[in-house]
């Protein structure tokens, strides 16, 4: 079974620039999550999709962050404009909706450095 | 106060030692408790998952949950260099919205 694919692996930008991250979940997984992991901290949920609808975006800084999941498969997370405090690893995760016992699978993440 | 507090570490132990990792939490509504392992430059992967208070074993790993004290632990017996990683506790009520601890980095010395 192929894992969760993310790109790019690394991105370095200057503050006030924009950046986009891409995620391809495991085939058939209806639920997709974007997490932000700042160095030395645990992952923090930014947004959760069920198919192509948003379930929870309560912790997404909507003035600068946006996310979409077209056709209920791939997803893109965008930051515009970036701030220094956005430096973090952005993790995408997916799971099937067959039941609560279904595992959450994470991608390897995109490491963002904002200079 | 953070919802989930995890012993910060880092921990460095010799090969074969027992590793003990701990988290406390404040939200009594949490029902499901998990431990994730995260290798450097990789995403977290689920290691153990428990629901009720008590112990759960899986090979060299034992997870303990004490809901009355709001305290969970992970023990790794006969630790190996391949166990060197960051261990994250995570918990949720019943909707898979996970609250993570900050992680403890473990190094097992050969």
């Amino acid at each position: 079974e192929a894992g969760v694919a993310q790109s790019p692996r690394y991105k370095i930008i200057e503050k006030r620039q924009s950046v986009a991250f891409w995620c391809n979940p495991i085939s058939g997984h209806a639920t997709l999550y974007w997490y932000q992991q700042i160095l030395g901290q645990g992952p923090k949920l930014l947004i959760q999709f069920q198919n192509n609808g948003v379930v929870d975006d309560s912790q997404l800084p909507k003035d600068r962050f946006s996310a979409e999941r077209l056709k209920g498969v791939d997803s893109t997370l965008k930051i515009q404009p970036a701030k220094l405090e956005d430096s973090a690893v952005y993790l995408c995760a997916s799971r099937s909706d067959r039941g609560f016992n279904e595992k959450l699978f994470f991608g390897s993440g995109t490491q963002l450095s904002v200079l | 106060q953070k919802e989930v507090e995890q012993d910060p570490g880092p921990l460095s132990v010799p090969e074969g030692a027992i590793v003990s990792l701990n988290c406390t939490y404040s939200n009594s509504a949490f029902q499901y408790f998990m431990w994730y392992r995260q290798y450097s430059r990789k995403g977290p992967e689920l290691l153990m998952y428990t629901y009720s208070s008590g112990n759960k074993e899986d090979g060299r790993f034992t997870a303990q949950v004490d809901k009355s004290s709001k305290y969970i632990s992970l023990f790794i017996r006969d630790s190996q260099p391949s166990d060197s990683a960051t261990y994250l506790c995570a918990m949720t009520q019943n909707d898979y919205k996970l609250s993570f601890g900050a992680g403890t980095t473990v190094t097992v010395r050969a």
Side-chain angles (χ1 to χ4, degrees):
Chain A
E1 176 177 69
V4 177
Q6 289 189 248
S7 67
R9 285 300 313 274
Y10 305 93
K11 191 74 178 177
I12 300 173
I13 62 172
E14 296 192 350
K15 60 183 179 183
R16 292 188 289 274
Q17 286 187 323
S18 63
V19 64
F21 314 125
W22 174 82
C23 172
N24 181 240
I26 291 173
S27 178
H29 279 192
T31 308
L32 184 148
Y33 307 79
W34 283 101
Y35 283 86
Q36 179 193 57
Q37 188 174 21
I38 293 172
L39 186 65
Q41 299 182 21
K44 184 185 89 171
L45 178 67
L46 292 175
I47 189 166
Q48 177 186 347
F49 291 94
Q50 179 81 14
N51 296 307
N52 61 350
V54 175
V55 173
D56 184 356
D57 64 357
S58 57
Q59 298 195 85
L60 187 74
K62 298 181 189 63
D63 58 334
R64 298 184 301 107
F65 285 64
S66 64
E68 60 181 7
R69 189 180 184 197
L70 298 176
K71 300 180 182 178
V73 182
D74 293 6
S75 178
T76 303
L77 177 69
K78 296 179 181 177
I79 307 175
Q80 182 179 10
K83 292 185 175 181
L84 296 177
E85 60 261 35
D86 298 331
S87 294
V89 175
Y90 290 84
L91 294 163
C92 179
S94 72
R95 60 187 292 267
S96 82
D97 58 356
R98 287 196 297 264
F100 187 84
N101 289 329
E102 293 296 320
K103 282 173 53 174
L104 187 65
F105 291 86
F106 283 88
S108 292
T110 296
Q111 184 169 331
L112 174 68
S113 297
V114 182
L115 307 178
Chain B
Q1 183 189 10
K2 290 182 182 177
E3 216 172 24
V4 181
E5 300 273 7
Q6 183 168 359
D7 289 352
L11 292 180
S12 180
V13 300
E15 185 174 357
I18 295 175
V19 176
S20 172
L21 303 165
N22 306 295
C23 288
T24 58
Y25 61 95
S26 57
N27 187 347
S28 57
F30 286 142
Q31 298 184 52
Y32 298 89
F33 305 90
M34 303 163 192
W35 287 94
Y36 282 81
R37 178 175 61 195
Q38 186 172 24
Y39 290 116
S40 180
R41 287 184 283 278
K42 294 289 188 182
E45 58 175 333
L46 183 65
L47 202 55
M48 298 280 287
Y49 156 49
T50 56
Y51 171 67
S52 57
S53 283
N55 292 358
K56 181 177 181 179
E57 277 196 26
D58 184 0
R60 297 184 295 110
F61 299 89
T62 299
Q64 279 187 354
V65 174
D66 182 347
K67 288 186 176 180
S68 62
S69 301
K70 298 190 183 70
Y71 188 89
I72 70 170
S73 300
L74 178 71
F75 299 96
I76 308 173
R77 290 183 300 281
D78 186 26
S79 57
Q80 304 295 310
S82 58
D83 295 327
S84 297
T86 296
Y87 291 82
L88 298 154
C89 63
M91 44 201 80
T92 184
Q93 296 183 38
N94 57 3
D95 54 6
Y96 235 101
K97 292 177 187 175
L98 300 179
S99 293
F100 283 89
T104 303
T105 298
V106 174
T107 301
V108 181
R109 308 185 306 270

